[in-house]
Amino acid sequence: MKKPIVIINGKEFEAEKGENIMQTALRNGIDIPHFCFHEDLPLEANCRACLVQDAGTGNIVMSCTIPAKDGVRILTTTPKVEKMRHKNLELLLAGHQQNCPRCQKKLHCETAEIMNRYHVKGNEYVREKVQELVHKLGTAAEFDPNLCIACNKCIKACESIGIGFLQLKGKASKTRVDYNHDPKVDCIYCGQCTVVCPVDAIREQSHIEQVEAAIKDPDKIVIVQTAPSVRNSIGEEFGMPYGQDNTGKMFTAYRKLGFDKIFDVSMGADITTMVEGSELVERLETGEGLPMFTSCCPGWVKYVEFYHPELIPNLTTSRSPHIHSGGAYKTWWAKKTKTDPRKIVVVSVMPCTSKKYEASHDKLNIDGMRPVDFSLTTREIAQMIRKHKIDFKSLEPSEVDDAGVYSGAAVIYGASGGVMESALRSAHYLVTGKEMEKIDLTEVRGYNGFKKAVVTIGDVKLKVAVVATPKNIQVLLKELKKNPHAYDYVEFMACPGGCLGGGGQPNPSSKRIVKERIKGIYAIDKKMKMRRAHENPVVKEFFEYADKLPKKERDALLYTNFEPKRKFE
């Protein structure tokens, strides 16, 4: 079918099916400012920043509302357009530079770049300054009403995953984002609101200053460990293709930032696979605690603890990957290298805001030490790289340090279905003593929010499901209520597409972009020589250490517990 041809500024461009004028223009390098539009969210057209002129009627229109139909003629730079666009931008962004922490510290700020591009300055008469403090969302994210432009994207993102914690309150110039005051509704700290906010009004709680202080402290040994999905998304922050594997460049960037040791959360994922796989085998043998639910996503865990505490016994007691590896580095690795564990600072680089919340839990402490001291999002580590003027694109790749070695099974933890697939690869070996013949479990892969499969392990036909976002979780729980034996093992993730679509990932993030990241992460697994967790020599060495510990110490290193939560806990 022939694609429609639209005329923008006198030039013809092919439009894709379903596109609006703004999308066609941006895809072809034509600059149109925009804030409220997101390709996965309902169109609201309330920021009025994307103004253009209809060459046929002369009317000023919003480019996000005009379908890219054949023959449409649009002008983007007429005096009338520029005047109205400039006025609207002033109204929206009047207080941004005054209140934005990035602007105050002279750091990279995309909103400030837009203001500079269109010569917009804050005007005291156009917007009443909101005299409110920053609102904390647990220890994960925060909301600054002084930066909010009421574009509604954060609210729609929260609704789209099935939570509805954020709401729009007030009218006209008094319109503000607020939280749902219903005691039965709470935030799960997933950060999907932060990954769509166009002006940093709702953002992660930054750990950059603490991390930089630790790096500068000569008495500290600072370990950085990276989650699997960051390697396939960090390049987007520097204009590189979606889903591109930048593992080696990332390791080099960390060395240039001054980290002492470059390890990897993927090593911890291999530990998690072994612990969780063993627990699955035990539950299948006893028939207790089935179906077993994964617990490596703290957003999902918060959902269970607040909304469905009756399901806590179904959660695997295995710690999550970055907590496993952080604990390993402060015990096994510290003893092996004769390093004082009190001097070790572990920094996790995650695609997630809820990992900040998870890392703050005192219940995870080992000998009074937190396994992970600080958690940075993908956006934060990119901010650090820019701040230190590191040219990420031109970096030569380097390798992870020895104690950070990982398998391909660990890498795919970043994708929805990856935790399930990794655990089953090793569970098959633990049960049968043989390797799984079909190692690529394509049935549990992909972006879809609800996937089902039957996997044969020895004489057992295992009924499994993979679920992403609370909206789909609610569907599965209704199914389990009707038939408690519908599944044996279920993977849950709070974010669409899993960690690759996490709340700490580069903005924008969308279904289309996450699909490219998914392709990239499975490509890494495919080319690795070691593709099963139980093959990892570093993990084998760690378990040799752990198995010699007294049972109480070993359990404290490998397992955790859960409890019902009240609102804001």
Side-chain angles (χ1 to χ4, degrees), residues 383-401:
Q383 189 73 24
M384 287 180 65
I385 291 169
R386 281 191 290 262
K387 178 183 176 181
H388 291 270
K389 302 188 186 309
I390 297 169
D391 184 357
F392 188 84
K393 281 186 176 181
S394 68
L395 293 177
E396 290 296 322
S398 60
E399 296 296 325
V400 70
D401 289 336

Side-chain angles (χ1 to χ4, degrees), residues 135-352:
H135 303 300
K136 302 291 184 182
L137 301 178
T139 51
E142 60 188 23
F143 171 64
D144 186 347
N146 294 296
L147 295 180
C148 180
I149 61 172
C151 70
N152 218 19
K153 285 166 76 172
C154 60
I155 293 167
K156 292 300 179 184
C158 192
E159 288 176 353
S160 73
I161 65 166
I163 293 295
F165 176 74
L166 297 175
Q167 295 181 330
L168 211 57
K169 299 287 180 69
K171 296 181 179 180
S173 64
K174 301 292 185 181
T175 301
R176 295 288 180 267
V177 172
D178 195 2
Y179 69 88
N180 191 324
H181 291 256
D182 185 340
K184 295 181 180 180
V185 178
D186 198 12
C187 178
I188 63 170
Y189 310 133
C190 68
Q192 285 301 303
C193 51
T194 72
V195 84
V196 298
C197 180
V199 291
D200 263 359
I202 195 160
R203 56 188 180 251
E204 62 272 270
Q205 291 181 30
S206 179
H207 287 171
I208 291 177
E209 287 187 6
Q210 297 97 311
V211 170
E212 291 187 329
I215 290 173
K216 291 176 183 177
D217 188 339
D219 198 42
K220 299 295 184 185
I221 294 122
V222 187
I223 293 171
V224 63
Q225 55 171 358
T226 306
S229 55
V230 175
R231 67 207 69 217
N232 280 87
S233 59
I234 190 170
E236 296 167 26
E237 288 278 352
F238 305 98
M240 301 169 82
Y242 301 127
Q244 180 172 305
D245 178 13
N246 286 296
T247 305
K249 289 180 182 291
M250 182 179 67
F251 292 152
T252 302
Y254 293 162
R255 291 186 168 93
K256 286 184 174 292
L257 286 171
F259 288 103
D260 296 303
K261 290 293 179 181
I262 315 302
F263 294 154
D264 209 292
V265 172
S266 301
M267 192 283 280
D270 279 336
I271 296 175
T272 302
T273 293
M274 297 304 295
V275 175
E276 189 166 311
S278 297
E279 186 172 358
L280 175 63
V281 172
E282 289 176 11
R283 293 198 189 196
L284 290 171
E285 289 174 350
T286 64
E288 297 178 358
L290 294 175
M292 188 175 87
F293 299 155
T294 60
S295 67
C296 59
C297 170
W300 149 245
V301 170
K302 173 65 191 293
Y303 179 85
V304 171
E305 291 180 322
F306 180 80
Y307 290 98
H308 292 282
E310 74 278 5
L311 298 175
I312 287 176
N314 294 85
L315 291 169
T316 171
T317 59
S318 171
R319 293 183 164 214
S320 73
H322 81 136
I323 300 298
H324 265 144
S325 47
Y329 294 134
K330 289 193 177 184
T331 55
W332 156 74
W333 182 81
K335 184 176 181 180
K336 177 182 178 179
T337 59
K338 296 183 172 62
T339 302
D340 181 355
R342 306 286 167 181
K343 293 184 176 182
I344 296 174
V345 176
V346 175
V347 178
S348 296
V349 181
M350 311 299 288
C352 183

Side-chain angles (χ1 to χ4, degrees), residues 498-517:
C499 299
L500 287 166
Q505 291 282 56
N507 187 345
S509 185
S510 67
K511 179 178 180 179
R512 172 179 57 86
I513 293 169
V514 173
K515 283 183 175 181
E516 292 302 313
R517 295 173 187 162

Side-chain angles (χ1 to χ4, degrees), residues 370-537:
R370 285 185 174 171
V372 173
D373 297 281
F374 305 108
S375 181
L376 300 172
T377 62
T378 309
R379 296 188 296 266
E380 283 178 285
I381 198 67
Q383 189 73 24
M384 287 180 65
I385 291 169
R386 281 191 290 262
K387 178 183 176 181
H388 291 270
K389 302 188 186 309
I390 297 169
D391 184 357
F392 188 84
K393 281 186 176 181
S394 68
L395 293 177
E396 290 296 322
S398 60
E399 296 296 325
V400 70
D401 289 336
D402 289 346
V405 169
Y406 53 89
S407 74
V411 173
I412 62 174
Y413 260 63
S416 173
V419 178
M420 166 77 65
E421 183 170 347
S422 302
L424 293 180
R425 288 182 187 181
S426 289
H428 187 281
Y429 177 78
L430 293 171
V431 171
T432 67
K434 299 178 181 179
E435 301 296 357
M436 182 179 282
E437 291 183 11
K438 184 191 174 187
I439 197 170
D440 295 312
L441 302 179
T442 54
E443 304 96 318
V444 298
R445 294 182 179 183
Y447 186 87
N448 289 343
F450 195 158
K451 294 162 284 191
K452 307 176 184 181
V454 176
V455 180
T456 302
I457 296 181
D459 298 327
V460 178
K461 289 192 179 296
L462 206 65
K463 294 169 290 184
V464 303
V466 173
V467 185
T469 76
K471 182 175 287 187
N472 290 305
I473 288 167
Q474 291 157 20
V475 174
L476 180 128
L477 294 183
K478 287 179 181 177
E479 188 177 344
L480 283 176
K481 193 171 184 179
K482 292 180 180 178
N483 179 12
H485 305 292
Y487 303 101
D488 302 301
Y489 184 31
V490 187
E491 176 196 306
F492 289 101
M493 291 288 169
C495 296
C499 299
L500 287 166
Q505 291 282 56
N507 187 345
S509 185
S510 67
K511 179 178 180 179
R512 172 179 57 86
I513 293 169
V514 173
K515 283 183 175 181
E516 292 302 313
R517 295 173 187 162
I518 290 172
K519 289 179 187 176
I521 213 162
Y522 282 112
I524 296 176
D525 169 47
K526 193 76 173 177
K527 67 183 181 184
M528 292 188 72
K529 293 180 180 179
M530 183 170 66
R531 298 185 64 195
R532 302 169 180 87
H534 55 273
E535 298 172 334
N536 189 335

Side-chain angles (χ1 to χ4, degrees), residues 6-9 20-26 30-34 47-68 72-86 88 118:
V6 299
I7 299 120
I8 304 176
N9 297 334
N20 56 46
I21 287 295
M22 185 181 71
Q23 289 173 289
T24 305
L26 294 174
I30 301 170
D31 188 25
I32 298 178
H34 59 286
C47 77
R48 298 186 63 83
C50 67
L51 296 178
V52 294
Q53 188 166 8
D54 185 322
T57 64
N59 294 334
I60 302 298
V61 293
M62 290 174 283
S63 58
C64 66
T65 65
I66 306 300
V72 171
R73 293 183 297 122
I74 296 293
L75 301 171
T76 67
T77 56
T78 66
K80 190 176 180 181
V81 165
E82 291 179 347
K83 183 178 179 181
M84 291 186 68
R85 185 188 287 169
H86 189 275
N88 284 341
Y118 294 99

